[in-house]
Amino acid sequence: MSAVLQMESVFVFVLGIIVGSFLNVVAYRVPRGESVVAPRSSCPSCHTVLRSVELVPILSWLCLGGRCRHCGSTIPVRYPILELVTGALWVATLWWIPNWPARVAWAVFWVLLVAVAGTDLTSMRVPNILSLPGAALAVGLSGVCGVHGWGQTLLGAVVGAGVLFAIHLLSRGSMGLGDVKLYLSIGAMLGPLYAMESLVMASLSGVMVGYGLRMSGLMKKREPMPFVPHIVIGVVVIAFFGHPLTEWYLHNLLATGV
Ligand SMILES: [Zn+2]
């Protein structure tokens, strides 16, 4: 790895975790209808306004051992995870995506996706105020930045949301309308085929993690599980490994049927 790319990676990672830290604010406040700019961050339990040193992404959580230094209440592990995931996705985008316009489009899309995963984790909701402007932004960025041509972008959005809407109807609402709206932007960024592959991956992740959590007793049997984090996993896998996975699938599974 060249020295320039190393420096770029560090810069992009630090910027990514700072943005991730803001996404934690979004995830907590947007479902409550609160402003994301004011007031300053405070502990949800004791309401002490947090000092700058308590707001350093990842490090503050680690140094404080995941507890508020004033009242000792637990700070969910979601906080450092959302920060780390945003930073890691931005670095992966720098490494995997070959040109800057497309990198910018992906970086913005990851911000949307992590924010929505956050609101789903805090409140089991995908707020329209994130998913709908996010869809318009993803369609615009995918087309303008050349992630896909306009045809694939629009087809992806329509197929993505359309298939999810069909599942919403068939599942009698187990698949929420929030997920349907979220797939407008996912379809725009991945195109129709990869959007469907991401859904398969998300479902696999949901089944496996759900099974694991229920077996280990961390989740009750009928307790609903936020699905957007699994959607993020599916989209990440397909965004970065969609090509080799599709090749492998065509080579191994379809070839055996010939
Ligand atoms: Zn506190």
Side-chain angles (χ1 to χ4, degrees), residues 224-256:
M225 177 176 61
F227 189 57
V228 178
H230 301 292
I231 291 180
V232 176
I233 291 170
V235 171
V236 169
V237 169
I238 294 303
F240 295 120
F241 305 104
H243 191 66
L245 272 173
T246 309
E247 295 247 298
W248 176 87
Y249 171 75
L250 291 175
H251 190 77
N252 287 287
L253 298 183
L254 293 191
T256 54

Short mmCIF file of all heavy atoms in Angstrom, two decimals, residues 224-256:
data_model
loop_
_atom_site.label_atom_id
_atom_site.label_comp_id
_atom_site.label_asym_id
_atom_site.label_seq_id
_atom_site.Cartn_x
_atom_site.Cartn_y
_atom_site.Cartn_z
N PRO A 224 -39.46 -9.36 18.62
CA PRO A 224 -39.12 -8.90 17.27
C PRO A 224 -37.66 -8.44 17.21
O PRO A 224 -37.14 -7.90 18.19
CB PRO A 224 -40.09 -7.76 17.02
CG PRO A 224 -40.55 -7.31 18.35
CD PRO A 224 -40.41 -8.47 19.30
N MET A 225 -37.05 -8.65 16.06
CA MET A 225 -35.64 -8.29 15.90
C MET A 225 -35.53 -7.21 14.83
O MET A 225 -36.16 -7.32 13.78
CB MET A 225 -34.87 -9.54 15.46
CG MET A 225 -33.41 -9.31 15.20
SD MET A 225 -32.55 -10.87 14.79
CE MET A 225 -33.43 -11.39 13.31
N PRO A 226 -34.76 -6.12 15.09
CA PRO A 226 -34.58 -5.12 14.04
C PRO A 226 -33.93 -5.78 12.82
O PRO A 226 -32.96 -6.52 12.97
CB PRO A 226 -33.63 -4.10 14.66
CG PRO A 226 -33.50 -4.45 16.09
CD PRO A 226 -33.96 -5.85 16.29
N PHE A 227 -34.50 -5.52 11.63
CA PHE A 227 -34.00 -6.20 10.43
C PHE A 227 -32.98 -5.36 9.65
O PHE A 227 -32.17 -5.91 8.90
CB PHE A 227 -35.19 -6.58 9.52
CG PHE A 227 -34.81 -7.48 8.37
CD1 PHE A 227 -34.18 -8.70 8.59
CD2 PHE A 227 -35.07 -7.10 7.07
CE1 PHE A 227 -33.81 -9.52 7.54
CE2 PHE A 227 -34.70 -7.93 6.00
CZ PHE A 227 -34.08 -9.14 6.23
N VAL A 228 -33.02 -4.03 9.84
CA VAL A 228 -32.12 -3.18 9.03
C VAL A 228 -30.64 -3.52 9.23
O VAL A 228 -29.87 -3.52 8.26
CB VAL A 228 -32.41 -1.68 9.25
CG1 VAL A 228 -31.43 -0.82 8.44
CG2 VAL A 228 -33.83 -1.34 8.84
N PRO A 229 -30.18 -3.83 10.48
CA PRO A 229 -28.77 -4.22 10.59
C PRO A 229 -28.41 -5.40 9.68
O PRO A 229 -27.31 -5.43 9.12
CB PRO A 229 -28.63 -4.60 12.07
CG PRO A 229 -29.65 -3.75 12.76
CD PRO A 229 -30.81 -3.70 11.81
N HIS A 230 -29.36 -6.32 9.50
CA HIS A 230 -29.10 -7.45 8.59
C HIS A 230 -29.10 -7.00 7.14
O HIS A 230 -28.33 -7.50 6.32
CB HIS A 230 -30.13 -8.56 8.81
CG HIS A 230 -30.12 -9.07 10.21
ND1 HIS A 230 -29.08 -9.79 10.74
CD2 HIS A 230 -31.00 -8.89 11.23
CE1 HIS A 230 -29.32 -10.06 12.00
NE2 HIS A 230 -30.48 -9.51 12.33
N ILE A 231 -29.97 -6.03 6.83
CA ILE A 231 -29.96 -5.45 5.48
C ILE A 231 -28.59 -4.82 5.21
O ILE A 231 -28.02 -5.00 4.14
CB ILE A 231 -31.09 -4.40 5.32
CG1 ILE A 231 -32.46 -5.09 5.35
CG2 ILE A 231 -30.91 -3.60 4.03
CD1 ILE A 231 -33.65 -4.15 5.21
N VAL A 232 -28.06 -4.12 6.23
CA VAL A 232 -26.73 -3.50 6.05
C VAL A 232 -25.69 -4.58 5.76
O VAL A 232 -24.87 -4.44 4.84
CB VAL A 232 -26.33 -2.67 7.30
CG1 VAL A 232 -24.92 -2.12 7.14
CG2 VAL A 232 -27.32 -1.53 7.52
N ILE A 233 -25.73 -5.66 6.53
CA ILE A 233 -24.77 -6.76 6.30
C ILE A 233 -24.91 -7.29 4.87
O ILE A 233 -23.92 -7.44 4.15
CB ILE A 233 -24.99 -7.90 7.33
CG1 ILE A 233 -24.59 -7.41 8.72
CG2 ILE A 233 -24.21 -9.15 6.95
CD1 ILE A 233 -24.96 -8.34 9.86
N GLY A 234 -26.16 -7.54 4.44
CA GLY A 234 -26.39 -8.03 3.08
C GLY A 234 -25.87 -7.08 2.02
O GLY A 234 -25.21 -7.50 1.07
N VAL A 235 -26.15 -5.79 2.19
CA VAL A 235 -25.72 -4.79 1.21
C VAL A 235 -24.19 -4.69 1.17
O VAL A 235 -23.58 -4.62 0.10
CB VAL A 235 -26.35 -3.41 1.51
CG1 VAL A 235 -25.73 -2.33 0.64
CG2 VAL A 235 -27.86 -3.46 1.30
N VAL A 236 -23.56 -4.72 2.35
CA VAL A 236 -22.09 -4.61 2.41
C VAL A 236 -21.46 -5.81 1.69
O VAL A 236 -20.55 -5.64 0.86
CB VAL A 236 -21.60 -4.54 3.87
CG1 VAL A 236 -20.09 -4.70 3.95
CG2 VAL A 236 -22.02 -3.21 4.50
N VAL A 237 -21.95 -7.01 1.99
CA VAL A 237 -21.39 -8.22 1.36
C VAL A 237 -21.50 -8.12 -0.17
O VAL A 237 -20.54 -8.35 -0.89
CB VAL A 237 -22.11 -9.49 1.88
CG1 VAL A 237 -21.73 -10.70 1.05
CG2 VAL A 237 -21.76 -9.72 3.34
N ILE A 238 -22.69 -7.72 -0.65
CA ILE A 238 -22.90 -7.69 -2.09
C ILE A 238 -22.18 -6.50 -2.75
O ILE A 238 -21.65 -6.61 -3.84
CB ILE A 238 -24.42 -7.66 -2.42
CG1 ILE A 238 -25.06 -8.98 -1.97
CG2 ILE A 238 -24.66 -7.43 -3.91
CD1 ILE A 238 -24.46 -10.24 -2.57
N ALA A 239 -22.12 -5.37 -2.05
CA ALA A 239 -21.44 -4.20 -2.62
C ALA A 239 -19.96 -4.50 -2.87
O ALA A 239 -19.39 -4.11 -3.88
CB ALA A 239 -21.59 -2.99 -1.71
N PHE A 240 -19.34 -5.21 -1.93
CA PHE A 240 -17.90 -5.46 -2.05
C PHE A 240 -17.56 -6.82 -2.65
O PHE A 240 -16.49 -6.98 -3.24
CB PHE A 240 -17.21 -5.28 -0.70
CG PHE A 240 -17.29 -3.86 -0.18
CD1 PHE A 240 -17.92 -3.56 1.02
CD2 PHE A 240 -16.76 -2.81 -0.92
CE1 PHE A 240 -18.01 -2.25 1.48
CE2 PHE A 240 -16.84 -1.50 -0.48
CZ PHE A 240 -17.47 -1.23 0.73
N PHE A 241 -18.44 -7.81 -2.48
CA PHE A 241 -18.12 -9.16 -2.97
C PHE A 241 -19.17 -9.70 -3.93
O PHE A 241 -19.19 -10.90 -4.21
CB PHE A 241 -17.95 -10.13 -1.78
CG PHE A 241 -16.95 -9.67 -0.77
CD1 PHE A 241 -17.35 -9.11 0.44
CD2 PHE A 241 -15.59 -9.74 -1.05
CE1 PHE A 241 -16.42 -8.66 1.36
CE2 PHE A 241 -14.65 -9.29 -0.14
CZ PHE A 241 -15.07 -8.75 1.08
N GLY A 242 -20.06 -8.83 -4.42
CA GLY A 242 -21.13 -9.28 -5.31
C GLY A 242 -20.62 -9.98 -6.55
O GLY A 242 -21.15 -11.01 -6.95
N HIS A 243 -19.55 -9.43 -7.13
CA HIS A 243 -19.04 -9.99 -8.37
C HIS A 243 -18.51 -11.42 -8.18
O HIS A 243 -19.00 -12.35 -8.84
CB HIS A 243 -17.99 -9.07 -8.97
CG HIS A 243 -17.62 -9.43 -10.36
ND1 HIS A 243 -18.51 -9.32 -11.42
CD2 HIS A 243 -16.48 -9.95 -10.88
CE1 HIS A 243 -17.92 -9.75 -12.51
NE2 HIS A 243 -16.69 -10.13 -12.22
N PRO A 244 -17.53 -11.64 -7.27
CA PRO A 244 -17.05 -13.02 -7.08
C PRO A 244 -18.16 -13.97 -6.62
O PRO A 244 -18.19 -15.13 -7.04
CB PRO A 244 -15.95 -12.90 -6.02
CG PRO A 244 -16.05 -11.54 -5.47
CD PRO A 244 -16.73 -10.69 -6.48
N LEU A 245 -19.09 -13.48 -5.78
CA LEU A 245 -20.17 -14.35 -5.30
C LEU A 245 -21.08 -14.78 -6.45
O LEU A 245 -21.45 -15.95 -6.54
CB LEU A 245 -21.01 -13.62 -4.25
CG LEU A 245 -20.54 -13.74 -2.80
CD1 LEU A 245 -21.36 -12.82 -1.91
CD2 LEU A 245 -20.65 -15.18 -2.31
N THR A 246 -21.40 -13.83 -7.35
CA THR A 246 -22.28 -14.15 -8.48
C THR A 246 -21.57 -15.13 -9.42
O THR A 246 -22.17 -16.09 -9.90
CB THR A 246 -22.65 -12.86 -9.24
OG1 THR A 246 -23.14 -11.92 -8.29
CG2 THR A 246 -23.73 -13.12 -10.28
N GLU A 247 -20.27 -14.90 -9.65
CA GLU A 247 -19.49 -15.81 -10.50
C GLU A 247 -19.50 -17.21 -9.92
O GLU A 247 -19.70 -18.20 -10.62
CB GLU A 247 -18.03 -15.31 -10.57
CG GLU A 247 -17.89 -13.99 -11.26
CD GLU A 247 -17.14 -14.10 -12.56
OE1 GLU A 247 -15.97 -14.49 -12.50
OE2 GLU A 247 -17.75 -13.82 -13.61
N TRP A 248 -19.26 -17.28 -8.60
CA TRP A 248 -19.20 -18.58 -7.92
C TRP A 248 -20.55 -19.29 -8.07
O TRP A 248 -20.61 -20.48 -8.37
CB TRP A 248 -18.87 -18.36 -6.44
CG TRP A 248 -18.87 -19.63 -5.65
CD1 TRP A 248 -17.82 -20.49 -5.49
CD2 TRP A 248 -19.98 -20.21 -4.95
NE1 TRP A 248 -18.22 -21.56 -4.72
CE2 TRP A 248 -19.52 -21.42 -4.38
CE3 TRP A 248 -21.30 -19.82 -4.74
CZ2 TRP A 248 -20.35 -22.24 -3.62
CZ3 TRP A 248 -22.13 -20.64 -3.99
CH2 TRP A 248 -21.65 -21.84 -3.43
N TYR A 249 -21.62 -18.51 -7.87
CA TYR A 249 -22.97 -19.06 -7.94
C TYR A 249 -23.24 -19.62 -9.35
O TYR A 249 -23.67 -20.76 -9.51
CB TYR A 249 -23.97 -17.96 -7.59
CG TYR A 249 -25.40 -18.32 -7.84
CD1 TYR A 249 -26.08 -19.18 -6.97
CD2 TYR A 249 -26.10 -17.82 -8.94
CE1 TYR A 249 -27.40 -19.52 -7.20
CE2 TYR A 249 -27.41 -18.16 -9.16
CZ TYR A 249 -28.06 -19.00 -8.30
OH TYR A 249 -29.37 -19.34 -8.52
N LEU A 250 -22.93 -18.79 -10.35
CA LEU A 250 -23.18 -19.22 -11.74
C LEU A 250 -22.35 -20.45 -12.08
O LEU A 250 -22.81 -21.39 -12.70
CB LEU A 250 -22.86 -18.07 -12.71
CG LEU A 250 -23.81 -16.87 -12.65
CD1 LEU A 250 -23.31 -15.76 -13.55
CD2 LEU A 250 -25.23 -17.29 -13.05
N HIS A 251 -21.09 -20.43 -11.61
CA HIS A 251 -20.16 -21.50 -11.95
C HIS A 251 -20.57 -22.82 -11.28
O HIS A 251 -20.64 -23.86 -11.93
CB HIS A 251 -18.76 -21.10 -11.50
CG HIS A 251 -17.70 -22.02 -12.00
ND1 HIS A 251 -17.24 -21.99 -13.29
CD2 HIS A 251 -17.03 -23.03 -11.38
CE1 HIS A 251 -16.33 -22.94 -13.45
NE2 HIS A 251 -16.19 -23.58 -12.31
N ASN A 252 -20.82 -22.75 -9.97
CA ASN A 252 -21.03 -23.99 -9.20
C ASN A 252 -22.46 -24.51 -9.21
O ASN A 252 -22.66 -25.70 -9.34
CB ASN A 252 -20.60 -23.79 -7.75
CG ASN A 252 -19.10 -23.73 -7.63
OD1 ASN A 252 -18.43 -24.74 -7.76
ND2 ASN A 252 -18.57 -22.54 -7.45
N LEU A 253 -23.41 -23.61 -9.05
CA LEU A 253 -24.78 -24.09 -8.89
C LEU A 253 -25.47 -24.29 -10.23
O LEU A 253 -26.07 -25.34 -10.47
CB LEU A 253 -25.59 -23.12 -8.02
CG LEU A 253 -25.03 -22.97 -6.61
CD1 LEU A 253 -25.91 -22.06 -5.78
CD2 LEU A 253 -24.95 -24.34 -5.92
N LEU A 254 -25.33 -23.31 -11.13
CA LEU A 254 -26.02 -23.46 -12.41
C LEU A 254 -25.34 -24.52 -13.27
O LEU A 254 -26.00 -25.28 -13.97
CB LEU A 254 -26.06 -22.12 -13.15
CG LEU A 254 -26.93 -21.04 -12.49
CD1 LEU A 254 -27.11 -19.87 -13.44
CD2 LEU A 254 -28.30 -21.58 -12.10
N ALA A 255 -24.00 -24.62 -13.15
CA ALA A 255 -23.27 -25.57 -13.99
C ALA A 255 -23.70 -27.01 -13.68
O ALA A 255 -23.77 -27.85 -14.57
CB ALA A 255 -21.77 -25.42 -13.76
N THR A 256 -24.01 -27.28 -12.40
CA THR A 256 -24.39 -28.64 -12.02
C THR A 256 -25.74 -29.02 -12.63
O THR A 256 -26.03 -30.20 -12.79
CB THR A 256 -24.49 -28.79 -10.49
OG1 THR A 256 -25.37 -27.79 -10.02
CG2 THR A 256 -23.14 -28.65 -9.82
#
